[in-house]
Amino acid sequence: MNNSVTDCIFCKIVKKEIPSNLVYENENCIAFNDIKPASPTHILVIPKKHYKNLWEVEDKDVLGDLLLTAKEVAKKAGLQDGFRTVINTGDNGGQTVYHIHVHVLGGRFHKWPPG
Ligand code: 5GP
Ligand code: ZN
């Protein structure tokens, strides 16, 4: 489990210490393709600043930036027919990387409820 900034894989992606397929960047967030896509389009949107997950974020600007960036990314990816946004929180939420991220999934129909 990546709980600290020093061993966080997404912080390393922000610092470009490890490569990623970056699709979008603005002042506060970056977006890159998921290494194991679950849909034809599967992009992860993260704040450049490290927060473990939703439990740790109190700042409305950070949460607003994440969702507005997710929308921008979906628009640029051509997902006008719709897309799924997911934020997994904690072990029961299925979170595996402990740097908050929004999944943007598109390019197919996404059924509800998820597994
Ligand atoms: P979570 O399960 O925490 O909601 O989502 C973590 C996501 O990060 C997974 O979909 C996983 O495939 C993706 N992921 C894990 N390690 C890497 C990596 O090194 N690079 C990229 N691009 N995605 C990763
Ligand atoms: Zn991090």
PDB file of all heavy atoms in Angstrom, residues 1-27:
ATOM      1  N   MET A   1       0.861  -1.204   0.000  1.00  0.00           N
ATOM      2  CA  MET A   1       0.000   0.000   0.000  1.00  0.00           C
ATOM      3  C   MET A   1       0.894   1.251   0.000  1.00  0.00           C
ATOM      4  O   MET A   1       1.800   1.354   0.822  1.00  0.00           O
ATOM      5  CB  MET A   1      -0.887  -0.034   1.237  1.00  0.00           C
ATOM      6  CG  MET A   1      -1.955   1.017   1.244  1.00  0.00           C
ATOM      7  SD  MET A   1      -2.831   1.063   2.812  1.00  0.00           S
ATOM      8  CE  MET A   1      -3.729  -0.470   2.784  1.00  0.00           C
ATOM      9  N   ASN A   2       0.631   2.149  -0.936  1.00  0.00           N
ATOM     10  CA  ASN A   2       1.429   3.381  -1.013  1.00  0.00           C
ATOM     11  C   ASN A   2       0.775   4.474  -0.180  1.00  0.00           C
ATOM     12  O   ASN A   2      -0.147   5.122  -0.616  1.00  0.00           O
ATOM     13  CB  ASN A   2       1.539   3.863  -2.459  1.00  0.00           C
ATOM     14  CG  ASN A   2       2.195   2.831  -3.329  1.00  0.00           C
ATOM     15  OD1 ASN A   2       3.238   2.298  -2.988  1.00  0.00           O
ATOM     16  ND2 ASN A   2       1.575   2.521  -4.452  1.00  0.00           N
ATOM     17  N   ASN A   3       1.280   4.670   1.013  1.00  0.00           N
ATOM     18  CA  ASN A   3       0.641   5.643   1.885  1.00  0.00           C
ATOM     19  C   ASN A   3       1.380   6.959   1.984  1.00  0.00           C
ATOM     20  O   ASN A   3       0.828   7.948   2.397  1.00  0.00           O
ATOM     21  CB  ASN A   3       0.492   5.062   3.295  1.00  0.00           C
ATOM     22  CG  ASN A   3      -0.867   4.411   3.464  1.00  0.00           C
ATOM     23  OD1 ASN A   3      -1.815   4.798   2.797  1.00  0.00           O
ATOM     24  ND2 ASN A   3      -0.960   3.422   4.320  1.00  0.00           N
ATOM     25  N   SER A   4       2.653   6.955   1.623  1.00  0.00           N
ATOM     26  CA  SER A   4       3.424   8.179   1.809  1.00  0.00           C
ATOM     27  C   SER A   4       3.866   8.739   0.471  1.00  0.00           C
ATOM     28  O   SER A   4       3.880   8.045  -0.541  1.00  0.00           O
ATOM     29  CB  SER A   4       4.642   7.892   2.678  1.00  0.00           C
ATOM     30  OG  SER A   4       5.550   7.100   1.954  1.00  0.00           O
ATOM     31  N   VAL A   5       4.209  10.027   0.501  1.00  0.00           N
ATOM     32  CA  VAL A   5       4.626  10.706  -0.715  1.00  0.00           C
ATOM     33  C   VAL A   5       5.863  10.030  -1.302  1.00  0.00           C
ATOM     34  O   VAL A   5       5.992   9.892  -2.515  1.00  0.00           O
ATOM     35  CB  VAL A   5       4.920  12.192  -0.415  1.00  0.00           C
ATOM     36  CG1 VAL A   5       5.329  12.934  -1.666  1.00  0.00           C
ATOM     37  CG2 VAL A   5       3.713  12.854   0.214  1.00  0.00           C
ATOM     38  N   THR A   6       6.773   9.571  -0.421  1.00  0.00           N
ATOM     39  CA  THR A   6       8.054   9.060  -0.908  1.00  0.00           C
ATOM     40  C   THR A   6       7.925   7.768  -1.711  1.00  0.00           C
ATOM     41  O   THR A   6       8.639   7.578  -2.677  1.00  0.00           O
ATOM     42  CB  THR A   6       9.043   8.840   0.262  1.00  0.00           C
ATOM     43  OG1 THR A   6       8.334   8.222   1.321  1.00  0.00           O
ATOM     44  CG2 THR A   6       9.675  10.135   0.697  1.00  0.00           C
ATOM     45  N   ASP A   7       7.012   6.885  -1.313  1.00  0.00           N
ATOM     46  CA  ASP A   7       6.908   5.631  -2.065  1.00  0.00           C
ATOM     47  C   ASP A   7       5.652   5.588  -2.943  1.00  0.00           C
ATOM     48  O   ASP A   7       5.233   4.528  -3.381  1.00  0.00           O
ATOM     49  CB  ASP A   7       6.979   4.415  -1.126  1.00  0.00           C
ATOM     50  CG  ASP A   7       5.797   4.346  -0.175  1.00  0.00           C
ATOM     51  OD1 ASP A   7       4.871   5.170  -0.306  1.00  0.00           O
ATOM     52  OD2 ASP A   7       5.801   3.462   0.699  1.00  0.00           O
ATOM     53  N   CYS A   8       5.068   6.764  -3.206  1.00  0.00           N
ATOM     54  CA  CYS A   8       3.817   6.800  -3.971  1.00  0.00           C
ATOM     55  C   CYS A   8       4.109   6.809  -5.474  1.00  0.00           C
ATOM     56  O   CYS A   8       4.769   7.708  -5.999  1.00  0.00           O
ATOM     57  CB  CYS A   8       3.011   8.039  -3.583  1.00  0.00           C
ATOM     58  SG  CYS A   8       1.551   8.251  -4.605  1.00  0.00           S
ATOM     59  N   ILE A   9       3.563   5.805  -6.144  1.00  0.00           N
ATOM     60  CA  ILE A   9       3.811   5.648  -7.581  1.00  0.00           C
ATOM     61  C   ILE A   9       3.234   6.827  -8.382  1.00  0.00           C
ATOM     62  O   ILE A   9       3.836   7.271  -9.366  1.00  0.00           O
ATOM     63  CB  ILE A   9       3.270   4.288  -8.054  1.00  0.00           C
ATOM     64  CG1 ILE A   9       3.850   3.903  -9.400  1.00  0.00           C
ATOM     65  CG2 ILE A   9       1.772   4.241  -8.085  1.00  0.00           C
ATOM     66  CD1 ILE A   9       3.833   2.416  -9.642  1.00  0.00           C
ATOM     67  N   PHE A  10       2.090   7.352  -7.950  1.00  0.00           N
ATOM     68  CA  PHE A  10       1.490   8.468  -8.690  1.00  0.00           C
ATOM     69  C   PHE A  10       2.277   9.771  -8.459  1.00  0.00           C
ATOM     70  O   PHE A  10       2.366  10.599  -9.368  1.00  0.00           O
ATOM     71  CB  PHE A  10       0.012   8.632  -8.341  1.00  0.00           C
ATOM     72  CG  PHE A  10      -0.880   7.565  -8.952  1.00  0.00           C
ATOM     73  CD1 PHE A  10      -2.259   7.562  -8.705  1.00  0.00           C
ATOM     74  CD2 PHE A  10      -0.372   6.572  -9.779  1.00  0.00           C
ATOM     75  CE1 PHE A  10      -3.088   6.597  -9.267  1.00  0.00           C
ATOM     76  CE2 PHE A  10      -1.186   5.594 -10.347  1.00  0.00           C
ATOM     77  CZ  PHE A  10      -2.554   5.603 -10.087  1.00  0.00           C
ATOM     78  N   CYS A  11       2.855   9.949  -7.261  1.00  0.00           N
ATOM     79  CA  CYS A  11       3.739  11.107  -7.056  1.00  0.00           C
ATOM     80  C   CYS A  11       4.946  11.009  -7.987  1.00  0.00           C
ATOM     81  O   CYS A  11       5.412  12.020  -8.522  1.00  0.00           O
ATOM     82  CB  CYS A  11       4.198  11.194  -5.602  1.00  0.00           C
ATOM     83  SG  CYS A  11       2.967  11.889  -4.476  1.00  0.00           S
ATOM     84  N   LYS A  12       5.419   9.795  -8.190  1.00  0.00           N
ATOM     85  CA  LYS A  12       6.558   9.602  -9.103  1.00  0.00           C
ATOM     86  C   LYS A  12       6.152   9.914 -10.543  1.00  0.00           C
ATOM     87  O   LYS A  12       6.960  10.453 -11.320  1.00  0.00           O
ATOM     88  CB  LYS A  12       7.099   8.174  -8.980  1.00  0.00           C
ATOM     89  CG  LYS A  12       7.835   7.983  -7.677  1.00  0.00           C
ATOM     90  CD  LYS A  12       8.408   6.595  -7.516  1.00  0.00           C
ATOM     91  CE  LYS A  12       9.157   6.530  -6.191  1.00  0.00           C
ATOM     92  NZ  LYS A  12       9.227   5.186  -5.627  1.00  0.00           N
ATOM     93  N   ILE A  13       4.927   9.618 -10.899  1.00  0.00           N
ATOM     94  CA  ILE A  13       4.428   9.969 -12.240  1.00  0.00           C
ATOM     95  C   ILE A  13       4.340  11.497 -12.363  1.00  0.00           C
ATOM     96  O   ILE A  13       4.733  12.068 -13.385  1.00  0.00           O
ATOM     97  CB  ILE A  13       3.080   9.263 -12.524  1.00  0.00           C
ATOM     98  CG1 ILE A  13       3.335   7.770 -12.797  1.00  0.00           C
ATOM     99  CG2 ILE A  13       2.349   9.920 -13.698  1.00  0.00           C
ATOM    100  CD1 ILE A  13       2.086   6.924 -12.988  1.00  0.00           C
ATOM    101  N   VAL A  14       3.853  12.171 -11.301  1.00  0.00           N
ATOM    102  CA  VAL A  14       3.781  13.643 -11.313  1.00  0.00           C
ATOM    103  C   VAL A  14       5.176  14.237 -11.532  1.00  0.00           C
ATOM    104  O   VAL A  14       5.364  15.149 -12.336  1.00  0.00           O
ATOM    105  CB  VAL A  14       3.175  14.184  -9.988  1.00  0.00           C
ATOM    106  CG1 VAL A  14       3.320  15.700  -9.902  1.00  0.00           C
ATOM    107  CG2 VAL A  14       1.709  13.791  -9.854  1.00  0.00           C
ATOM    108  N   LYS A  15       6.157  13.673 -10.828  1.00  0.00           N
ATOM    109  CA  LYS A  15       7.529  14.202 -10.912  1.00  0.00           C
ATOM    110  C   LYS A  15       8.275  13.683 -12.142  1.00  0.00           C
ATOM    111  O   LYS A  15       9.458  13.974 -12.337  1.00  0.00           O
ATOM    112  CB  LYS A  15       8.307  13.831  -9.641  1.00  0.00           C
ATOM    113  CG  LYS A  15       7.847  14.632  -8.419  1.00  0.00           C
ATOM    114  CD  LYS A  15       8.698  14.334  -7.197  1.00  0.00           C
ATOM    115  CE  LYS A  15       8.116  13.171  -6.421  1.00  0.00           C
ATOM    116  NZ  LYS A  15       8.871  12.746  -5.250  1.00  0.00           N
ATOM    117  N   LYS A  16       7.592  12.878 -12.938  1.00  0.00           N
ATOM    118  CA  LYS A  16       8.147  12.269 -14.154  1.00  0.00           C
ATOM    119  C   LYS A  16       9.358  11.381 -13.848  1.00  0.00           C
ATOM    120  O   LYS A  16      10.239  11.196 -14.683  1.00  0.00           O
ATOM    121  CB  LYS A  16       8.463  13.342 -15.206  1.00  0.00           C
ATOM    122  CG  LYS A  16       7.207  14.127 -15.609  1.00  0.00           C
ATOM    123  CD  LYS A  16       7.399  14.950 -16.852  1.00  0.00           C
ATOM    124  CE  LYS A  16       6.100  15.447 -17.466  1.00  0.00           C
ATOM    125  NZ  LYS A  16       5.270  16.306 -16.628  1.00  0.00           N
ATOM    126  N   GLU A  17       9.367  10.831 -12.656  1.00  0.00           N
ATOM    127  CA  GLU A  17      10.424   9.873 -12.288  1.00  0.00           C
ATOM    128  C   GLU A  17      10.145   8.503 -12.882  1.00  0.00           C
ATOM    129  O   GLU A  17      11.056   7.703 -13.060  1.00  0.00           O
ATOM    130  CB  GLU A  17      10.550   9.777 -10.761  1.00  0.00           C
ATOM    131  CG  GLU A  17      11.175  11.013 -10.141  1.00  0.00           C
ATOM    132  CD  GLU A  17      11.134  11.007  -8.624  1.00  0.00           C
ATOM    133  OE1 GLU A  17      10.754   9.989  -8.017  1.00  0.00           O
ATOM    134  OE2 GLU A  17      11.467  12.057  -8.048  1.00  0.00           O
ATOM    135  N   ILE A  18       8.844   8.225 -13.104  1.00  0.00           N
ATOM    136  CA  ILE A  18       8.511   7.035 -13.884  1.00  0.00           C
ATOM    137  C   ILE A  18       7.598   7.477 -15.027  1.00  0.00           C
ATOM    138  O   ILE A  18       6.836   8.439 -14.888  1.00  0.00           O
ATOM    139  CB  ILE A  18       7.881   5.892 -13.049  1.00  0.00           C
ATOM    140  CG1 ILE A  18       6.557   6.309 -12.430  1.00  0.00           C
ATOM    141  CG2 ILE A  18       8.822   5.368 -11.986  1.00  0.00           C
ATOM    142  CD1 ILE A  18       5.776   5.123 -11.900  1.00  0.00           C
ATOM    143  N   PRO A  19       7.686   6.788 -16.166  1.00  0.00           N
ATOM    144  CA  PRO A  19       6.934   7.239 -17.336  1.00  0.00           C
ATOM    145  C   PRO A  19       5.440   6.948 -17.227  1.00  0.00           C
ATOM    146  O   PRO A  19       5.027   6.021 -16.529  1.00  0.00           O
ATOM    147  CB  PRO A  19       7.555   6.427 -18.483  1.00  0.00           C
ATOM    148  CG  PRO A  19       8.167   5.234 -17.848  1.00  0.00           C
ATOM    149  CD  PRO A  19       8.495   5.592 -16.433  1.00  0.00           C
ATOM    150  N   SER A  20       4.669   7.760 -17.907  1.00  0.00           N
ATOM    151  CA  SER A  20       3.231   7.483 -18.042  1.00  0.00           C
ATOM    152  C   SER A  20       2.797   8.072 -19.370  1.00  0.00           C
ATOM    153  O   SER A  20       3.493   8.899 -19.950  1.00  0.00           O
ATOM    154  CB  SER A  20       2.434   8.127 -16.910  1.00  0.00           C
ATOM    155  OG  SER A  20       2.315   9.518 -17.129  1.00  0.00           O
ATOM    156  N   ASN A  21       1.659   7.608 -19.817  1.00  0.00           N
ATOM    157  CA  ASN A  21       1.090   8.155 -21.037  1.00  0.00           C
ATOM    158  C   ASN A  21       0.198   9.337 -20.660  1.00  0.00           C
ATOM    159  O   ASN A  21      -1.005   9.186 -20.478  1.00  0.00           O
ATOM    160  CB  ASN A  21       0.313   7.038 -21.746  1.00  0.00           C
ATOM    161  CG  ASN A  21      -0.049   7.414 -23.168  1.00  0.00           C
ATOM    162  OD1 ASN A  21      -0.130   8.598 -23.494  1.00  0.00           O
ATOM    163  ND2 ASN A  21      -0.274   6.433 -23.985  1.00  0.00           N
ATOM    164  N   LEU A  22       0.828  10.503 -20.520  1.00  0.00           N
ATOM    165  CA  LEU A  22       0.121  11.706 -20.094  1.00  0.00           C
ATOM    166  C   LEU A  22      -0.838  12.173 -21.179  1.00  0.00           C
ATOM    167  O   LEU A  22      -0.443  12.296 -22.333  1.00  0.00           O
ATOM    168  CB  LEU A  22       1.166  12.792 -19.811  1.00  0.00           C
ATOM    169  CG  LEU A  22       0.820  13.836 -18.773  1.00  0.00           C
ATOM    170  CD1 LEU A  22       0.839  13.233 -17.368  1.00  0.00           C
ATOM    171  CD2 LEU A  22       1.825  14.986 -18.847  1.00  0.00           C
ATOM    172  N   VAL A  23      -2.084  12.416 -20.818  1.00  0.00           N
ATOM    173  CA  VAL A  23      -3.029  12.904 -21.825  1.00  0.00           C
ATOM    174  C   VAL A  23      -3.448  14.352 -21.571  1.00  0.00           C
ATOM    175  O   VAL A  23      -3.975  15.012 -22.460  1.00  0.00           O
ATOM    176  CB  VAL A  23      -4.284  11.994 -21.934  1.00  0.00           C
ATOM    177  CG1 VAL A  23      -3.915  10.601 -22.408  1.00  0.00           C
ATOM    178  CG2 VAL A  23      -5.060  11.931 -20.635  1.00  0.00           C
ATOM    179  N   TYR A  24      -3.224  14.842 -20.355  1.00  0.00           N
ATOM    180  CA  TYR A  24      -3.670  16.199 -20.045  1.00  0.00           C
ATOM    181  C   TYR A  24      -2.957  16.691 -18.788  1.00  0.00           C
ATOM    182  O   TYR A  24      -2.664  15.900 -17.892  1.00  0.00           O
ATOM    183  CB  TYR A  24      -5.183  16.208 -19.813  1.00  0.00           C
ATOM    184  CG  TYR A  24      -5.783  17.579 -19.610  1.00  0.00           C
ATOM    185  CD1 TYR A  24      -6.008  18.426 -20.689  1.00  0.00           C
ATOM    186  CD2 TYR A  24      -6.108  18.033 -18.328  1.00  0.00           C
ATOM    187  CE1 TYR A  24      -6.549  19.689 -20.497  1.00  0.00           C
ATOM    188  CE2 TYR A  24      -6.650  19.292 -18.137  1.00  0.00           C
ATOM    189  CZ  TYR A  24      -6.870  20.116 -19.223  1.00  0.00           C
ATOM    190  OH  TYR A  24      -7.405  21.362 -19.038  1.00  0.00           O
ATOM    191  N   GLU A  25      -2.706  17.981 -18.762  1.00  0.00           N
ATOM    192  CA  GLU A  25      -2.094  18.572 -17.572  1.00  0.00           C
ATOM    193  C   GLU A  25      -2.594  19.994 -17.422  1.00  0.00           C
ATOM    194  O   GLU A  25      -2.735  20.721 -18.404  1.00  0.00           O
ATOM    195  CB  GLU A  25      -0.555  18.558 -17.726  1.00  0.00           C
ATOM    196  CG  GLU A  25       0.156  19.228 -16.568  1.00  0.00           C
ATOM    197  CD  GLU A  25       1.667  18.910 -16.493  1.00  0.00           C
ATOM    198  OE1 GLU A  25       2.208  18.358 -17.481  1.00  0.00           O
ATOM    199  OE2 GLU A  25       2.272  19.227 -15.461  1.00  0.00           O
ATOM    200  N   ASN A  26      -2.908  20.404 -16.214  1.00  0.00           N
ATOM    201  CA  ASN A  26      -3.170  21.815 -15.938  1.00  0.00           C
ATOM    202  C   ASN A  26      -2.434  22.185 -14.648  1.00  0.00           C
ATOM    203  O   ASN A  26      -1.586  21.419 -14.182  1.00  0.00           O
ATOM    204  CB  ASN A  26      -4.680  22.123 -15.915  1.00  0.00           C
ATOM    205  CG  ASN A  26      -5.432  21.317 -14.869  1.00  0.00           C
ATOM    206  OD1 ASN A  26      -4.874  20.908 -13.858  1.00  0.00           O
ATOM    207  ND2 ASN A  26      -6.722  21.094 -15.117  1.00  0.00           N
ATOM    208  N   GLU A  27      -2.768  23.329 -14.073  1.00  0.00           N
ATOM    209  CA  GLU A  27      -1.970  23.818 -12.937  1.00  0.00           C
ATOM    210  C   GLU A  27      -1.941  22.827 -11.770  1.00  0.00           C
ATOM    211  O   GLU A  27      -0.896  22.594 -11.159  1.00  0.00           O
ATOM    212  CB  GLU A  27      -2.546  25.166 -12.478  1.00  0.00           C
ATOM    213  CG  GLU A  27      -1.637  25.901 -11.523  1.00  0.00           C
ATOM    214  CD  GLU A  27      -2.318  27.136 -10.932  1.00  0.00           C
ATOM    215  OE1 GLU A  27      -3.357  27.581 -11.477  1.00  0.00           O
ATOM    216  OE2 GLU A  27      -1.799  27.636  -9.917  1.00  0.00           O
TER     217      GLU A  27
END
